[in-house]
Amino acid sequence: MTITHWINGEPAAGGERSQPVYDPATGQSAQEVQLADRATVERAIAAAEQAYPAWRDTPPLKRARIMMKLKDLLEQHADAVCQLITAEHGKVLSDALGELQRGIENIEYAGYVPELLKGEHSKEAGPGIDSWSEFQPLGVVAGITPFNFPAMVPLWMWPMAVACGNTFVLKPSERVPSAALYIARL
């Protein structure tokens, strides 16, 4: 079995190179992961750039509701995610569940984005000076994550970035790619 990429909401092949993904409990490999080439990365960035204007203009409350749906889906599919973490990383299921739970808590926090994005206003911060801050999305942002927390670290990054109106390109560790890919599919 070959693990591909996930671009623009669907599986996407890309890159001529691949490498095995090992089960640390057995030392065996039952699957390979495609390693993205430059063209694949550029395709992922282009898809994120294309999605950005509409996503940026999506009201924060709607983005928050989508995050809450993701939270619910992860809770419903926690066993499957944890099995993937265990099979590729070697964590016992209870550790994998703890990792996923901490990631889910970050999604829950991202659900508060309508309140977090309100900004601040200070009237008369100085003589005749009002001060305010506005929070705006940046655009396409990216995260490169290590192997040691295949679900939690990506969930530290992209839920808040996406909830704030950005689009996101994730490069999970090639040693443990399946949990991040499964979460993206959800």
Side-chain angles (χ1 to χ4, degrees), residues 22-97:
Y22 293 98
D23 179 340
T26 65
Q28 301 298 311
S29 172
Q31 53 192 358
E32 291 201 351
V33 62
Q34 284 185 334
L35 303 176
D37 56 15
R38 183 181 185 100
T40 307
V41 173
E42 289 173 354
R43 195 167 30 133
I45 293 168
E49 286 174 337
Q50 184 179 5
Y52 174 67
W55 185 247
R56 172 196 62 214
D57 294 339
T58 301
L61 182 57
K62 185 172 183 180
R63 296 191 307 247
R65 287 179 177 148
I66 291 169
M67 289 295 107
M68 291 300 96
K69 286 181 184 177
L70 175 61
K71 175 187 170 290
D72 291 344
L73 283 169
L74 280 174
E75 290 170 344
Q76 292 168 18
H77 297 274
D79 289 342
V81 175
C82 292
Q83 289 288 340
L84 291 170
I85 293 169
T86 296
E88 291 180 354
H89 187 278
K91 290 183 181 188
V92 296
L93 287 173
S94 60
D95 283 348
L97 184 57

Side-chain angles (χ1 to χ4, degrees), residues 7 40-56 136-143 157-158 160-162 164-171:
I7 300 174
T40 307
V41 173
E42 289 173 354
R43 195 167 30 133
I45 293 168
E49 286 174 337
Q50 184 179 5
Y52 174 67
W55 185 247
R56 172 196 62 214
Q136 300 290 326
L138 299 171
V140 177
V141 295
M157 295 179 179
W158 70 264
M160 185 55 78
V162 169
C164 288
N166 302 290
T167 53
F168 199 86
V169 175
L170 175 67
K171 191 279 181 201

